[in-house]
Amino acid sequence: MAELSLQHLEKVYDNNVQAVYDFNLDVKDGELIVLVGPSGCGKSTTLRMVAGLEDITRGKMLLNGKDVTNAPAKDRDIAMVFQNYALYGHMTIYENMAFSLTLRKEDPNVIHKKVLAAAEVLGLTEQLNKKPSQLSGGQRQRVAMGRSIVRNPQLFLFDEPLSNLDAKLRSATRREILLLHKRLNATMLYVTHDQTEALTLADRIVCMSMGHVQQIGTPLELYDSPANLFVASFIGLPPMNFVDVKVEGANLVAKHFAIPMSPAEKNALASYQGKEIVLGFRPENTSVGNHFQMKVLSNENLGMNTLVHGHIGADGKGERITCKLNGWCNYKADDVVSISLTRKHFFDKETTNAIRMEEEA
C-alpha cells in the first residue's frame, strides 16, 4: 500500500499557462481521496502529474517517503484507470487483464492466478474469453479496473472512470468501486466533476477551482461547513441558494424580508453591523414557515419531498430560489408560500469566505 505526499505542486505549460497552483495534500495508507471541481480546474492535470504523465513544474512528490518527483511513470508502481477504458479490442478480456504482467515476463502460472482472482473480485469470470466489444460499458470499466488490480500497485489512480456510463450504470459501478476499495484497502486518488461521486466515495474530498485548492475535508465537512462561496455552490444538489442581506440590529434585512438572528448569529456577525453579507441556505434546509414569502414558478415532485422553485417575495421579484419541502406538494404557478430557514450559512461578500458561528470555529 502507499502513503502519498504532494508538496507545493505546480504545473505551468510551455505557453506560460498555469494549470495548478501550490497543491498540497498528504494521503494516508488505504485512503480514498476524490479530487472534484468543474472542467478546467486542474484536477486531471494534478492526477497526471502524480501518474508521471505530466512533468511537475515545481514542488515535490513523495511515495512512501521516497522522492519520485522526476521518476518515470513506469518506475512509480502506480496503476491508472482512464475514462475511455483503453482496452485492446483484438484481445480477449483475459489477455487485456494479463497484458502488463505478460510484458513484465512474469510466470504464466502466476499471471493466471492473478487474473482469475481479479476476475472473481469484479464478477468477470464468465467474460474472460470475450472481446471488449461484447461487453457493456460497465463491464469494460471493470476490466480496466481488473487490469490495474492484477499489477498490485502501490497506488490506484482513477480519471473520471464513470463519465462514459449512463446514470444507472454509474450508480452501480460507483458501488463496485467503493466495495473494491474496502476489499483491497488500497490507496486511491479519484478525479471527477460529479459531486455525487465525490460525496459517496471519498474518505476526504479536495475541491478545486481554477487551479487552486478551495477546501480539503470529509464529505460532511464540505457539505455542512463549506469554506467559501465556491464550495458552497458546487457541493450539494440542488445547489445552495444565495441572497444578499444587510446586518441591521438583530435582523438580517433584504428587500423582501427581515429575519431575526439567533444569539449565536448576532455574535458571529457583530463586526458586520450595517454591512452587506451573503446569506446561504440549502434547499433541504427550508420548511413551510414564516421567514419570508416565495412566489412559486414550478414543482418537481420526488415522492417523499418536492422541489419547489420560485422567487422570494409575494410579488415574485426577489431572488430565484429552490426549496425542498417535505411531502408531495401541489403548488401551482403564482401560488405564494411562506418559507422558514432551518439552517443558515453566512459569507463575507468581499472575500467570499465563510463566516463561522462560534461552535463551528
Side-chain angles (χ1 to χ4, degrees), residues 281-292 294 323-326 331 337-343:
F281 56 94
R282 296 197 180 281
E284 54 270 35
N285 292 146
T286 61
S287 63
V288 175
N290 58 6
H291 280 156
F292 58 79
M294 175 180 71
C323 298
K324 191 173 186 178
L325 303 180
N326 289 333
Y331 298 120
V337 185
S338 294
I339 298 294
S340 278
L341 308 182
T342 59
R343 171 77 195 276

Side-chain angles (χ1 to χ4, degrees), residues 280-310:
F281 56 94
R282 296 197 180 281
E284 54 270 35
N285 292 146
T286 61
S287 63
V288 175
N290 58 6
H291 280 156
F292 58 79
Q293 292 184 313
M294 175 180 71
K295 190 171 185 178
V296 174
L297 287 172
S298 63
N299 279 344
E300 287 183 72
N301 292 107
L302 304 176
M304 291 183 66
N305 43 56
T306 304
L307 294 179
V308 183
H309 307 281

Side-chain angles (χ1 to χ4, degrees), residues 5-25:
S5 180
L6 305 177
Q7 303 174 3
H8 305 290
L9 253 58
E10 299 198 350
K11 178 62 183 180
V12 183
Y13 289 102
D14 292 339
N15 58 1
N16 289 323
V17 172
Q18 187 156 353
V20 178
Y21 298 81
D22 196 27
F23 187 100
N24 293 279
L25 177 68

Side-chain angles (χ1 to χ4, degrees), residues 134-289:
Q134 296 175 276
L135 303 186
S136 68
Q139 288 172 321
R140 275 179 274 177
Q141 192 54 273
R142 276 187 275 157
V143 175
M145 288 190 283
R147 189 174 51 192
S148 297
I149 292 170
V150 297
R151 289 180 50 193
N152 192 29
Q154 294 188 78
L155 179 65
F156 287 86
L157 306 180
F158 293 84
D159 189 10
E160 305 215 33
L162 309 185
S163 60
N164 288 338
L165 306 180
D166 62 37
K168 187 176 180 180
L169 271 177
R170 272 203 307 274
S171 179
T173 310
R174 189 169 67 235
R175 290 194 296 272
E176 289 175 0
I177 291 173
L178 195 56
L179 290 172
L180 179 66
H181 173 249
K182 292 183 184 300
R183 189 174 298 178
L184 299 178
N185 193 30
T187 308
M188 296 181 173
L189 214 56
Y190 187 108
V191 160
T192 182
H193 65 274
D194 187 329
Q195 55 151 308
T196 301
E197 287 178 39
L199 290 169
T200 54
L201 286 174
D203 293 318
R204 284 189 297 152
I205 295 173
V206 180
C207 187
M208 298 183 68
S209 174
M210 299 180 68
H212 295 272
V213 173
Q214 300 295 315
Q215 187 174 0
I216 299 175
T218 65
L220 180 59
E221 286 170 343
L222 268 72
Y223 172 82
D224 209 38
S225 301
N228 54 41
L229 279 171
F230 175 81
V231 178
S233 63
F234 193 82
I235 299 295
L237 194 67
M240 188 180 286
N241 301 293
F242 299 107
V243 182
D244 289 343
V245 297
K246 194 171 184 180
V247 182
E248 290 187 0
N251 296 308
L252 300 170
V253 179
K255 182 179 179 181
H256 292 89
F257 62 75
I259 300 175
M261 292 186 285
S262 69
E265 291 168 348
K266 282 198 290 185
N267 185 54
L269 300 175
S271 62
Y272 289 89
Q273 274 293 334
K275 297 179 182 178
E276 276 200 343
I277 61 169
V278 178
L279 165 66
F281 56 94
R282 296 197 180 281
E284 54 270 35
N285 292 146
T286 61
S287 63
V288 175

